[in-house]
Amino acid sequence: MSNVIKKIGIVGTGVIGASWSALFLAYGFEVIAVDPADGAEAALREYVAKAWTEMQELGLVAAGASQLRLTFSTSLEDIADVDFVQENGPERLDFKQDLYRQLDAVLASDVLIATSSSGLTMTEIQKGCVLHPERCLVGHPFNPPHLIPLVELVAGKQTSSESVDRAQTFYSSLGKRTIRLNKEVPGHVANRLQGVLIREIMSLVNEGVVSVADADTACSWGPGLRWGVMGPVLLNHLGGGAGGIEHFYKQFAGPLVTWWTPLGGVEFTPQMQEKMIQGLYAEVADRSFEELAAERDRLLVTLLKARLAVNTEKN
Ligand SMILES: NC(=O)c1ccc[n+]([C@@H]2O[C@H](COP(=O)([O-])OP(=O)(O)OC[C@H]3O[C@@H](n4cnc5c(N)ncnc54)[C@H](O)[C@@H]3O)[C@@H](O)[C@H]2O)c1
């Protein structure tokens, strides 16, 4: 069995597949991308060209790496000789099960298939994979994966731990920060964390406590800045002063539990969605989607440069 990865298959080149393609190309890999949608190739090449500049700024483009190593196809048959697959198709279980059945038949038996799925479990997805389900795992990135280091690794019931080890070694070699879940849960870990925060924002907006714009400000100019540097539990430790987390819990255990009390709960009804949408557009004002995405990426590159300049191996 070969652990050498030279050629990568990207299945689905939408938001996430395009960004993964850019990352793999920048690390010098050959990439073959498959997507049946009209205009997918042009959109992919345009995305990669834009992302290339950002990765160059971060020093993430390897010597000799080239966008010319990207080939495109509309047929899965064309990825038969790849060494690794990152799957980024639509987030639908029936679709993925059928796709995995096809991938399983096309690929050599030791080729890992990692899904970017935001929340489906591999145990369910790999039911479509009859020959070698042991090589399938979740390799869940954060948007945009060419910039954000986190990749969550999760095995399904039929996944071998050796497959997860190999994927972890591979992603780590691309500068990714991997975490390994010990158990499957819908949404993995990071999306569950985001989910709780979004639910609370909706509750606060619904109760009239705060506007959508101010809730976003509270996150991005407050705790969000610190979360970009250290995790919340580590920050609690520092919040306890010299007494550390023990002192923090002594002081805040009571109030913390009070803050956990739901404000009356919130249902994600069409009316609630409309309230959030109105609030969001008031916050967006006259900024276009492209302007906002460019601002996000410019700031992310600046933040990442700062993090990469400081040794933060352990945070
Ligand atoms: N958007 C996010 O923020 C995000 C973040 C992390 C993970 N993900 C996950 O990544 C995956 C893709 O999400 P997305 O946001 O990029 O979706 P998307 O809709 O932007 O892209 C999906 C792509 O799959 C293509 N596709 C459809 N059928 C196909 C087939 N048979 N073969 C190959 N490609 C096919 C579509 O044409 C489309 O380009 C999902 O599983 C999602 O949960 C999304």
Side-chain angles (χ1 to χ4, degrees):
M1 180 181 295
S2 164
N3 282 332
V4 180
I5 294 172
K6 289 186 180 155
K7 189 170 181 180
I8 295 174
I10 292 283
V11 179
T13 62
V15 175
I16 294 303
S19 178
W20 271 123
S21 301
L23 180 85
F24 294 136
L25 288 164
Y27 270 84
F29 294 98
E30 219 181 307
V31 170
I32 170 137
V34 178
D35 197 306
D38 286 346
E41 179 173 7
L44 170 63
R45 291 193 187 278
E46 190 183 330
Y47 186 97
V48 169
K50 190 186 110 322
W52 207 256
T53 315
E54 293 168 347
M55 287 183 296
Q56 268 169 332
E57 265 195 62
L58 285 170
L60 291 183
V61 177
S66 169
Q67 295 175 58
L68 298 175
R69 292 217 180 89
L70 173 63
T71 47
F72 184 86
S73 171
T74 53
S75 165
L76 272 189
E77 306 288 317
D78 288 335
I79 63 164
D81 65 342
V82 301
D83 308 306
F84 182 90
V85 170
Q86 186 75 42
E87 174 273 310
N88 322 279
E91 182 79 343
R92 279 197 348 254
L93 183 59
D94 60 339
F95 170 86
K96 295 218 195 250
Q97 283 176 337
D98 185 48
L99 182 67
Y100 277 65
R101 186 184 47 71
Q102 296 175 57
L103 286 169
D104 197 27
V106 161
L107 298 164
S109 62
D110 61 346
V111 173
L112 296 177
I113 312 174
T115 181
S116 295
S117 173
S118 300
L120 299 172
T121 62
M122 184 42 76
T123 293
E124 290 302 315
I125 294 174
Q126 68 194 167
K127 283 181 179 164
C129 199
V130 288
L131 299 173
H132 292 287
E134 72 282 354
R135 45 62 176 275
C136 301
L137 71 150
V138 172
H140 175 240
F142 253 62
N143 188 35
H146 71 275
L147 295 180
I148 303 286
L150 181 68
V151 179
E152 299 181 279
L153 300 170
V154 202
K157 281 209 173 77
Q158 300 182 77
T159 309
S160 68
S161 59
E162 192 231 342
S163 295
V164 185
D165 292 344
R166 284 171 60 208
Q168 190 161 29
T169 303
F170 173 59
Y171 288 125
S172 302
S173 75
L174 309 179
K176 293 293 171 201
R177 283 302 183 96
T178 56
I179 65 162
R180 209 161 157 152
L181 274 62
N182 303 319
K183 275 185 188 178
E184 290 180 300
V185 278
H188 322 310
V189 166
N191 274 337
R192 295 186 73 90
L193 297 175
Q194 293 201 118
V196 169
L197 189 59
I198 284 291
R199 190 184 59 194
E200 190 60 24
I201 288 174
M202 284 189 196
S203 240
L204 291 164
V205 169
N206 195 36
E207 295 285 322
V209 176
V210 75
S211 65
V212 169
D214 279 355
D216 269 351
T217 301
C219 292
S220 72
W221 284 100
L225 270 180
R226 302 193 313 193
W227 292 332
V229 176
M230 282 181 190
V233 186
L234 207 47
L235 286 164
N236 282 172
H237 184 48
L238 296 180
I245 191 134
E246 292 86 349
H247 179 67
F248 184 87
Y249 284 167
K250 213 174 268 172
Q251 192 176 11
F252 289 113
L256 260 183
V257 175
T258 320
W259 305 334
W260 287 343
T261 310
L263 282 174
V266 66
E267 303 245 344
F268 201 28
T269 57
Q271 292 75 17
M272 188 58 219
Q273 291 179 29
E274 192 48 39
K275 203 175 215 174
M276 294 300 292
I277 290 168
Q278 297 289 336
L280 178 272
Y281 281 115
E283 177 182 3
V284 167
D286 57 358
R287 292 174 295 173
S288 71
F289 181 89
E290 288 72 24
E291 279 173 316
L292 283 168
E295 181 178 328
R296 177 199 62 192
D297 291 353
R298 183 173 50 80
L299 287 170
L300 272 177
V301 168
T302 311
L303 280 172
L304 280 164
K305 268 189 189 164
R307 285 213 68 170
L308 294 171
V310 178
N311 181 1
T312 54
E313 266 312 300
K314 291 203 169 68
N315 293 340

